[in-house]
Amino acid sequence: MFKLTGSLKVANETQVISEKFSKREFVIETKDQYPQLVMFQLTQDKCELLSTFKVGNEIEVSFNLRGREWTSPAGEVKYFNTLEAWRLERLDGNGESIQDKARIDQMKAHAPNEEQDDLPF
């Protein structure tokens, strides 16, 4: 499992490749000294994960690296890599997960208040 953060630059529509396979590609731009444009792919039911994001959002992508071999009709062997995303998290301006902050705030709101007592210890 790998993670990469950046801003959402391109969010393509879902492509239906066959009756049993659909994919959705998107690109993020990293915030490195030399920013990189990195394309990811969502497949099947994961395609909908991108629907709540807008171009420009800061996101963290959790993904797996997939590799495969392909032989052309002429017998030439080629190798391909795919970055298969399986989780997307929106980040705030400080690079912190908005979902994590919401969970922490919710836990604090439901935590019992500490009460003062008269015990000397």
Side-chain angles (χ1 to χ4, degrees), residues 8-114:
L8 183 61
K9 185 167 180 71
V10 176
N12 292 332
E13 293 299 319
T14 300
Q15 299 173 328
V16 178
I17 306 301
S18 72
E19 187 176 305
K20 296 182 181 181
F21 182 73
S22 59
K23 70 177 184 175
R24 188 171 187 184
E25 297 174 332
F26 65 98
V27 176
I28 67 168
E29 184 172 1
T30 66
K31 301 295 182 191
D32 302 324
Q33 180 179 358
Y34 301 103
Q36 300 295 308
L37 298 174
V38 182
M39 185 172 72
F40 293 90
Q41 171 180 287
L42 295 159
T43 57
Q44 304 306 86
D45 59 333
K46 299 287 186 194
C47 292
E48 290 304 312
L49 291 177
L50 197 58
S51 298
T52 60
F53 295 88
K54 296 179 182 174
V55 170
N57 285 153
E58 294 293 317
I59 63 174
E60 178 179 78
V61 182
S62 297
F63 64 98
N64 294 323
L65 178 61
R66 301 277 188 229
R68 64 191 174 286
E69 180 181 272
W70 177 75
T71 304
S72 73
E76 182 181 5
V77 177
K78 293 191 176 201
Y79 297 90
F80 296 92
N81 297 317
T82 303
L83 304 179
E84 180 124 6
W86 51 271
R87 182 178 182 195
L88 304 177
E89 278 194 82
R90 183 173 285 114
L91 303 177
D92 66 8
N94 298 320
E96 295 181 27
S97 168
I98 291 175
Q99 288 94 335
D100 287 347
K101 287 171 60 175
R103 277 188 227 116
I104 290 168
D105 290 345
Q106 186 178 22
M107 287 173 24
K108 285 180 182 176
H110 289 31
N113 292 332
E114 292 184 21

